[in-house]
Amino acid sequence: MRITVLAGGIGGSRFLLGLRSLGHDITVVVNNGDDITLFGLRVCPDLDTVMYTLGGGISAERGWGREDETFRLKDELASYGAGPSWFGLGDLDLATHIARTMWLREGVGLDEVTRRLCERWQPGVRLLPATNDDVETHVLLEDGSSVHFQEWWVRLHAEVPARSIWLHNADTARPAPGVAEAIVDCDVLLLPPSNPVVSVGTILAVPGIVEAVRSTAAPVVGVSPIIADAPVRGRADACLSAIGVETSAYAVAAHFGARISGGVLDGWLVDETDAAAVDKLSAEGIQTRAVPLWMTDIAATAAIAEAALGLAAELRG
């Protein structure tokens, strides 16, 4: 099948490892709201995390950056007082950012830059940025100041309450070449267990992408990133609080909404511990199933992906 996935970084990439093992034709539209310019270099954390994970180069311990990484350049920059010091760019990782920035300055689109980087990593799927435009997620703090999402997430550890989160420059952005087509022309569209606000949410914030999701004939199935009212990984609860959404598998699905009612979902997988949400969401137009959702290894993750595809097959009738 031709499967398109709207994915963030760590959770999305781990889900993709299981999905890829099933042997389908996969296109991944990756969030680039996390993108930031540091030391004059364009850094795309989610694109790189997916690329490194599927290419076998991710740091297994951290879940981001390169395996066997060193940070000598970061330490040397700190000795000059050249910041920021809170964002860790490793020596191997910097090669990716240098190559990306060099090509971007030559006028190459981010989609083509990503394709060139993937020639080295061979992820086994087609990776596309959500947009080629320079969009960045920003966070409004309680004191009225705003910061880049990365500063809130990495330096402040999302411990400072946020009043709102938005995708800066989204109003002038457009889907990257091939993105709308990948969504409209696929057999199944999947939303993996990525952060619903700053991963999947920022992809959907790019004008034209929601319209493509709503117009596709493919069933749209999501996998809950929340199990037993807690994020599977990370601090998605802080992001959900910022937009006034409860941290629960039910609330996240309700936030995305049923496609028959103007939302984006046809189906939704929740963990067995959240089975109480099944009937309620199904009654609201989102056909929901409860299955084990812990991605403990490739086999368990592949089983989750198979369950999502099975639900898609039911929805197709």
Side-chain angles (χ1 to χ4, degrees):
M1 288 188 291
R2 295 168 303 162
I3 301 171
T4 296
V5 183
L6 309 186
I10 296 176
S13 61
R14 291 180 177 175
F15 176 82
L16 287 164
L17 285 171
L19 178 64
R20 186 183 62 178
S21 72
L22 302 180
H24 297 289
D25 179 359
I26 302 168
T27 297
V28 188
V29 178
V30 183
N31 163 53
N32 53 315
D34 286 11
D35 294 6
I36 188 171
T37 298
L38 296 168
F39 307 106
L41 301 176
R42 195 61 176 167
V43 181
C44 301
D46 279 5
L47 278 165
D48 292 344
T49 293
V50 174
M51 181 177 70
Y52 292 156
T53 299
L54 297 182
I58 198 76
S59 167
E61 179 183 354
R62 292 190 303 271
W64 56 268
R66 296 279 300 276
E67 191 67 88
D68 299 321
E69 187 62 279
T70 55
F71 292 88
R72 294 182 64 190
L73 181 55
K74 175 180 179 292
D75 294 340
E76 189 68 10
L77 284 166
S79 72
Y80 286 118
S85 60
W86 48 265
F87 199 97
L89 294 179
D91 301 330
L92 293 171
D93 195 27
L94 276 161
T96 299
H97 310 316
I98 290 169
R100 175 187 292 117
T101 304
M102 177 183 67
W103 288 326
L104 288 173
R105 287 177 179 169
E106 291 173 355
V108 180
L110 184 59
D111 62 317
E112 170 61 16
V113 169
T114 302
R115 187 196 66 77
R116 293 181 184 183
L117 294 172
C118 285
E119 286 184 351
R120 183 255 191 269
W121 289 101
Q122 296 295 309
V125 304
R126 181 189 182 203
L127 294 187
L128 293 173
T131 178
N132 278 2
D133 297 302
D134 287 342
V135 293
E136 296 182 353
T137 302
H138 287 200
V139 179
L140 179 65
L141 305 180
E142 280 194 331
D143 64 4
S145 64
S146 63
V147 296
H148 191 287
F149 167 73
Q150 292 293 353
E151 185 170 358
W152 182 64
W153 196 252
V154 179
R155 185 176 74 83
L156 300 176
H157 306 291
E159 293 172 353
V160 177
R163 288 164 52 184
S164 66
I165 298 174
W166 74 97
L167 188 63
H168 186 63
N169 289 334
D171 56 336
T172 59
R174 295 293 179 269
V179 167
E181 294 82 357
I183 292 170
V184 171
D185 296 336
C186 66
D187 298 315
V188 178
L189 180 62
L190 297 179
L191 276 57
S194 297
N195 190 305
V197 181
V198 295
S199 292
V200 177
T202 46
I203 294 172
L204 296 174
V206 175
I209 290 186
V210 162
E211 292 78 4
V213 172
R214 290 173 179 160
S215 67
T216 183
V220 183
V221 176
V223 179
S224 176
I226 306 297
I227 296 178
D229 299 338
V232 172
R233 180 186 173 92
R235 300 174 290 270
D237 50 342
C239 299
L240 289 165
S241 294
I243 64 168
V245 175
E246 178 186 76
T247 303
S248 72
Y250 167 80
V252 171
H255 168 66
F256 285 136
R259 199 151 59 126
I260 60 172
S261 303
V264 298
L265 287 177
D266 298 313
W268 187 242
L269 294 184
V270 299
D271 187 71
E272 293 171 315
T273 58
D274 297 307
V278 171
D279 290 342
K280 189 175 181 181
L281 284 171
S282 295
E284 295 174 8
I286 303 172
Q287 294 303 309
T288 304
R289 303 290 182 269
V291 299
L293 287 189
W294 289 106
M295 297 187 291
T296 52
D297 54 30
I298 294 291
T301 307
I304 296 168
E306 285 186 315
L309 297 178
L311 178 52
E314 288 183 46
L315 291 165
R316 274 198 305 267

